[in-house]
mmCIF file of all heavy atoms in Angstrom:
data_model
loop_
_atom_site.group_PDB
_atom_site.id
_atom_site.type_symbol
_atom_site.label_atom_id
_atom_site.label_comp_id
_atom_site.label_asym_id
_atom_site.label_seq_id
_atom_site.Cartn_x
_atom_site.Cartn_y
_atom_site.Cartn_z
ATOM 1 N N ALA A 1 220.289 -43.345 -11.561
ATOM 2 C CA ALA A 1 219.058 -42.541 -11.655
ATOM 3 C C ALA A 1 218.182 -42.761 -10.594
ATOM 4 O O ALA A 1 218.138 -43.841 -9.816
ATOM 5 C CB ALA A 1 218.490 -42.913 -13.098
ATOM 6 N N VAL A 2 217.138 -41.887 -10.487
ATOM 7 C CA VAL A 2 216.105 -41.914 -9.412
ATOM 8 C C VAL A 2 214.890 -41.334 -9.953
ATOM 9 O O VAL A 2 214.889 -40.368 -10.740
ATOM 10 C CB VAL A 2 216.590 -41.286 -8.007
ATOM 11 C CG1 VAL A 2 216.783 -39.971 -8.276
ATOM 12 C CG2 VAL A 2 215.664 -41.599 -7.041
ATOM 13 N N CYS A 3 213.790 -41.938 -9.632
ATOM 14 C CA CYS A 3 212.422 -41.300 -9.899
ATOM 15 C C CYS A 3 211.601 -41.596 -8.707
ATOM 16 O O CYS A 3 211.230 -42.745 -8.477
ATOM 17 C CB CYS A 3 211.934 -42.064 -11.073
ATOM 18 S SG CYS A 3 210.161 -41.271 -11.532
ATOM 19 N N LEU A 4 211.238 -40.437 -8.029
ATOM 20 C CA LEU A 4 210.458 -40.480 -6.736
ATOM 21 C C LEU A 4 209.077 -39.988 -7.003
ATOM 22 O O LEU A 4 208.891 -38.952 -7.332
ATOM 23 C CB LEU A 4 211.185 -39.827 -5.556
ATOM 24 C CG LEU A 4 212.600 -40.225 -5.275
ATOM 25 C CD1 LEU A 4 213.238 -39.338 -4.243
ATOM 26 C CD2 LEU A 4 212.578 -41.731 -4.853
ATOM 27 N N ILE A 5 208.090 -40.853 -6.598
ATOM 28 C CA ILE A 5 206.777 -40.476 -6.891
ATOM 29 C C ILE A 5 206.111 -40.287 -5.413
ATOM 30 O O ILE A 5 206.269 -41.106 -4.466
ATOM 31 C CB ILE A 5 205.948 -41.631 -7.530
ATOM 32 C CG1 ILE A 5 206.558 -42.042 -8.915
ATOM 33 C CG2 ILE A 5 204.462 -41.237 -7.729
ATOM 34 C CD1 ILE A 5 206.699 -40.880 -9.777
ATOM 35 N N SER A 6 205.389 -39.105 -5.232
ATOM 36 C CA SER A 6 204.788 -38.780 -3.887
ATOM 37 C C SER A 6 203.305 -38.477 -4.274
ATOM 38 O O SER A 6 202.851 -38.606 -5.415
ATOM 39 C CB SER A 6 205.434 -37.730 -3.283
ATOM 40 O OG SER A 6 205.295 -36.506 -4.057
ATOM 41 N N LEU A 7 202.644 -38.129 -3.180
ATOM 42 C CA LEU A 7 201.173 -37.789 -3.338
ATOM 43 C C LEU A 7 201.184 -36.220 -3.013
ATOM 44 O O LEU A 7 201.616 -35.771 -2.117
ATOM 45 C CB LEU A 7 200.381 -38.496 -2.383
ATOM 46 C CG LEU A 7 198.982 -38.931 -2.749
ATOM 47 C CD1 LEU A 7 198.941 -39.621 -4.032
ATOM 48 C CD2 LEU A 7 198.223 -39.737 -1.744
ATOM 49 N N TRP A 8 200.428 -35.480 -3.928
ATOM 50 C CA TRP A 8 200.179 -34.032 -3.732
ATOM 51 C C TRP A 8 198.816 -33.808 -4.128
ATOM 52 O O TRP A 8 198.338 -34.077 -5.137
ATOM 53 C CB TRP A 8 201.129 -33.238 -4.643
ATOM 54 C CG TRP A 8 201.149 -31.775 -4.477
ATOM 55 C CD1 TRP A 8 201.608 -31.038 -3.242
ATOM 56 C CD2 TRP A 8 200.647 -30.727 -5.260
ATOM 57 N NE1 TRP A 8 201.324 -29.732 -3.368
ATOM 58 C CE2 TRP A 8 200.717 -29.644 -4.672
ATOM 59 C CE3 TRP A 8 200.012 -30.856 -6.496
ATOM 60 C CZ2 TRP A 8 200.306 -28.401 -5.315
ATOM 61 C CZ3 TRP A 8 199.653 -29.668 -7.100
ATOM 62 C CH2 TRP A 8 199.831 -28.516 -6.496
ATOM 63 N N GLU A 9 198.085 -33.238 -3.107
ATOM 64 C CA GLU A 9 196.636 -32.825 -3.321
ATOM 65 C C GLU A 9 195.999 -34.156 -3.785
ATOM 66 O O GLU A 9 195.109 -34.137 -4.600
ATOM 67 C CB GLU A 9 196.427 -31.721 -4.341
ATOM 68 C CG GLU A 9 196.915 -30.411 -3.723
ATOM 69 C CD GLU A 9 196.647 -29.314 -4.690
ATOM 70 O OE1 GLU A 9 196.400 -29.473 -5.877
ATOM 71 O OE2 GLU A 9 196.764 -28.063 -4.281
ATOM 72 N N GLU A 10 196.207 -35.253 -3.173
ATOM 73 C CA GLU A 10 195.643 -36.632 -3.331
ATOM 74 C C GLU A 10 195.818 -37.075 -4.827
ATOM 75 O O GLU A 10 195.038 -38.041 -5.165
ATOM 76 C CB GLU A 10 194.123 -36.561 -3.129
ATOM 77 C CG GLU A 10 193.872 -36.111 -1.640
ATOM 78 C CD GLU A 10 192.425 -36.123 -1.294
ATOM 79 O OE1 GLU A 10 191.646 -36.967 -1.783
ATOM 80 O OE2 GLU A 10 192.081 -35.310 -0.422
ATOM 81 N N LEU A 11 196.778 -36.659 -5.685
ATOM 82 C CA LEU A 11 197.154 -37.108 -6.838
ATOM 83 C C LEU A 11 198.747 -37.365 -6.843
ATOM 84 O O LEU A 11 199.448 -36.733 -6.205
ATOM 85 C CB LEU A 11 196.871 -36.191 -7.997
ATOM 86 C CG LEU A 11 195.313 -36.015 -8.255
ATOM 87 C CD1 LEU A 11 195.104 -34.793 -9.221
ATOM 88 C CD2 LEU A 11 194.688 -37.321 -8.715
ATOM 89 N N PRO A 12 199.211 -38.506 -7.571
ATOM 90 C CA PRO A 12 200.535 -38.725 -7.553
ATOM 91 C C PRO A 12 201.409 -37.661 -8.282
ATOM 92 O O PRO A 12 200.798 -37.024 -9.288
ATOM 93 C CB PRO A 12 200.657 -40.052 -8.361
ATOM 94 C CG PRO A 12 199.329 -40.194 -9.168
ATOM 95 C CD PRO A 12 198.339 -39.366 -8.451
ATOM 96 N N LEU A 13 202.539 -37.469 -7.915
ATOM 97 C CA LEU A 13 203.401 -36.379 -8.424
ATOM 98 C C LEU A 13 204.933 -36.940 -8.564
ATOM 99 O O LEU A 13 205.339 -37.617 -7.635
ATOM 100 C CB LEU A 13 203.495 -35.190 -7.408
ATOM 101 C CG LEU A 13 204.467 -34.138 -7.626
ATOM 102 C CD1 LEU A 13 204.215 -33.314 -8.846
ATOM 103 C CD2 LEU A 13 204.671 -33.330 -6.378
ATOM 104 N N VAL A 14 205.467 -36.644 -9.614
ATOM 105 C CA VAL A 14 206.935 -36.891 -9.789
ATOM 106 C C VAL A 14 207.682 -35.901 -9.072
ATOM 107 O O VAL A 14 207.815 -34.754 -9.377
ATOM 108 C CB VAL A 14 207.303 -36.877 -11.329
ATOM 109 C CG1 VAL A 14 208.755 -37.151 -11.432
ATOM 110 C CG2 VAL A 14 206.543 -37.881 -12.109
ATOM 111 N N SER A 15 208.025 -36.348 -7.784
ATOM 112 C CA SER A 15 208.718 -35.434 -6.779
ATOM 113 C C SER A 15 210.081 -35.023 -7.369
ATOM 114 O O SER A 15 210.526 -33.864 -7.196
ATOM 115 C CB SER A 15 208.830 -35.965 -5.335
ATOM 116 O OG SER A 15 207.536 -36.108 -4.877
ATOM 117 N N ASP A 16 210.736 -36.097 -7.743
ATOM 118 C CA ASP A 16 212.177 -35.983 -8.333
ATOM 119 C C ASP A 16 212.384 -37.013 -9.373
ATOM 120 O O ASP A 16 212.031 -38.016 -9.199
ATOM 121 C CB ASP A 16 213.218 -36.189 -7.011
ATOM 122 C CG ASP A 16 213.178 -35.126 -6.081
ATOM 123 O OD1 ASP A 16 213.684 -33.994 -6.513
ATOM 124 O OD2 ASP A 16 212.802 -35.294 -4.951
ATOM 125 N N ILE A 17 213.128 -36.595 -10.381
ATOM 126 C CA ILE A 17 213.647 -37.552 -11.345
ATOM 127 C C ILE A 17 214.995 -36.932 -11.825
ATOM 128 O O ILE A 17 215.009 -35.718 -12.090
ATOM 129 C CB ILE A 17 212.635 -37.661 -12.592
ATOM 130 C CG1 ILE A 17 213.275 -38.713 -13.486
ATOM 131 C CG2 ILE A 17 212.436 -36.277 -13.267
ATOM 132 C CD1 ILE A 17 212.269 -39.304 -14.468
ATOM 133 N N ALA A 18 215.947 -37.774 -11.676
ATOM 134 C CA ALA A 18 217.254 -37.377 -12.160
ATOM 135 C C ALA A 18 218.069 -38.594 -12.709
ATOM 136 O O ALA A 18 218.026 -39.660 -12.232
ATOM 137 C CB ALA A 18 218.067 -36.752 -10.896
ATOM 138 N N VAL A 19 218.942 -38.208 -13.661
ATOM 139 C CA VAL A 19 219.845 -39.216 -14.226
ATOM 140 C C VAL A 19 221.211 -38.531 -14.254
ATOM 141 O O VAL A 19 221.340 -37.437 -14.609
ATOM 142 C CB VAL A 19 219.416 -39.508 -15.637
ATOM 143 C CG1 VAL A 19 220.399 -40.656 -16.194
ATOM 144 C CG2 VAL A 19 217.928 -40.197 -15.592
ATOM 145 N N ILE A 20 222.223 -39.209 -13.885
ATOM 146 C CA ILE A 20 223.644 -38.862 -13.815
ATOM 147 C C ILE A 20 223.962 -38.440 -15.300
ATOM 148 O O ILE A 20 223.633 -39.312 -16.240
ATOM 149 C CB ILE A 20 224.531 -39.750 -13.265
ATOM 150 C CG1 ILE A 20 224.281 -39.894 -11.763
ATOM 151 C CG2 ILE A 20 226.066 -39.429 -13.552
ATOM 152 C CD1 ILE A 20 225.243 -40.761 -11.130
ATOM 153 N N PRO A 21 224.570 -37.243 -15.583
ATOM 154 C CA PRO A 21 224.823 -36.817 -16.977
ATOM 155 C C PRO A 21 225.301 -37.798 -17.920
ATOM 156 O O PRO A 21 224.870 -37.934 -19.085
ATOM 157 C CB PRO A 21 225.710 -35.652 -16.810
ATOM 158 C CG PRO A 21 225.451 -35.094 -15.515
ATOM 159 C CD PRO A 21 225.153 -36.157 -14.597
ATOM 160 N N ARG A 22 226.297 -38.774 -17.534
ATOM 161 C CA ARG A 22 226.975 -39.526 -18.486
ATOM 162 C C ARG A 22 225.985 -40.659 -18.985
ATOM 163 O O ARG A 22 226.334 -41.467 -19.928
ATOM 164 C CB ARG A 22 228.287 -40.115 -17.999
ATOM 165 C CG ARG A 22 228.157 -40.933 -16.958
ATOM 166 C CD ARG A 22 229.678 -41.427 -16.612
ATOM 167 N NE ARG A 22 229.651 -42.351 -15.420
ATOM 168 C CZ ARG A 22 229.920 -41.894 -14.194
ATOM 169 N NH1 ARG A 22 230.187 -40.580 -13.996
ATOM 170 N NH2 ARG A 22 229.971 -42.685 -13.219
ATOM 171 N N TYR A 23 224.856 -40.866 -18.257
ATOM 172 C CA TYR A 23 223.913 -41.931 -18.609
ATOM 173 C C TYR A 23 222.661 -41.419 -19.332
ATOM 174 O O TYR A 23 221.781 -42.190 -19.598
ATOM 175 C CB TYR A 23 223.470 -42.681 -17.301
ATOM 176 C CG TYR A 23 224.481 -43.462 -16.579
ATOM 177 C CD1 TYR A 23 225.311 -42.907 -15.676
ATOM 178 C CD2 TYR A 23 224.880 -44.685 -17.083
ATOM 179 C CE1 TYR A 23 226.292 -43.673 -14.916
ATOM 180 C CE2 TYR A 23 225.836 -45.472 -16.474
ATOM 181 C CZ TYR A 23 226.521 -44.863 -15.373
ATOM 182 O OH TYR A 23 227.628 -45.611 -14.759
ATOM 183 N N ARG A 24 222.669 -40.076 -19.449
ATOM 184 C CA ARG A 24 221.295 -39.413 -20.007
ATOM 185 C C ARG A 24 220.967 -39.850 -21.433
ATOM 186 O O ARG A 24 219.776 -39.727 -21.891
ATOM 187 C CB ARG A 24 221.531 -37.929 -19.826
ATOM 188 C CG ARG A 24 221.381 -37.458 -18.515
ATOM 189 C CD ARG A 24 221.339 -36.101 -18.290
ATOM 190 N NE ARG A 24 221.166 -35.706 -16.866
ATOM 191 C CZ ARG A 24 221.670 -34.513 -16.384
ATOM 192 N NH1 ARG A 24 221.979 -33.568 -17.173
ATOM 193 N NH2 ARG A 24 221.505 -34.373 -15.016
ATOM 194 N N SER A 25 221.869 -40.328 -22.204
ATOM 195 C CA SER A 25 221.567 -40.724 -23.616
ATOM 196 C C SER A 25 221.036 -42.059 -23.793
ATOM 197 O O SER A 25 220.682 -42.682 -24.784
ATOM 198 C CB SER A 25 222.757 -40.556 -24.499
ATOM 199 O OG SER A 25 223.813 -41.383 -24.075
ATOM 200 N N ASN A 26 220.763 -42.723 -22.568
ATOM 201 C CA ASN A 26 220.402 -44.040 -22.538
ATOM 202 C C ASN A 26 218.843 -44.188 -22.402
ATOM 203 O O ASN A 26 218.403 -45.435 -22.148
ATOM 204 C CB ASN A 26 221.016 -44.866 -21.464
ATOM 205 C CG ASN A 26 222.557 -45.044 -21.688
ATOM 206 O OD1 ASN A 26 222.988 -45.145 -22.873
ATOM 207 N ND2 ASN A 26 223.240 -44.900 -20.743
ATOM 208 N N ARG A 27 218.097 -43.288 -22.472
ATOM 209 C CA ARG A 27 216.590 -43.327 -22.230
ATOM 210 C C ARG A 27 216.122 -43.860 -20.971
ATOM 211 O O ARG A 27 214.999 -44.411 -20.781
ATOM 212 C CB ARG A 27 215.993 -44.038 -23.432
ATOM 213 C CG ARG A 27 216.304 -43.489 -24.844
ATOM 214 C CD ARG A 27 215.708 -44.200 -26.000
ATOM 215 N NE ARG A 27 214.288 -43.987 -25.937
ATOM 216 C CZ ARG A 27 213.519 -43.002 -26.290
ATOM 217 N NH1 ARG A 27 214.113 -42.068 -26.733
ATOM 218 N NH2 ARG A 27 212.201 -43.058 -26.261
ATOM 219 N N ILE A 28 216.997 -43.749 -19.962
ATOM 220 C CA ILE A 28 216.596 -44.207 -18.600
ATOM 221 C C ILE A 28 215.369 -43.472 -18.051
ATOM 222 O O ILE A 28 214.474 -44.087 -17.527
ATOM 223 C CB ILE A 28 217.811 -44.119 -17.624
ATOM 224 C CG1 ILE A 28 218.958 -45.042 -18.130
ATOM 225 C CG2 ILE A 28 217.350 -44.451 -16.236
ATOM 226 C CD1 ILE A 28 220.267 -44.922 -17.464
ATOM 227 N N ALA A 29 215.378 -42.045 -18.190
ATOM 228 C CA ALA A 29 214.332 -41.366 -17.584
ATOM 229 C C ALA A 29 212.983 -41.647 -18.222
ATOM 230 O O ALA A 29 212.025 -41.757 -17.527
ATOM 231 C CB ALA A 29 214.597 -39.788 -17.750
#
């Protein structure tokens, strides 16, 4: 999984969040 935070208009933004399908039921996100 990955969760990338960036800045957009001077506020934080979740740019990307992804979890490989077989791990999605583990509440990782």
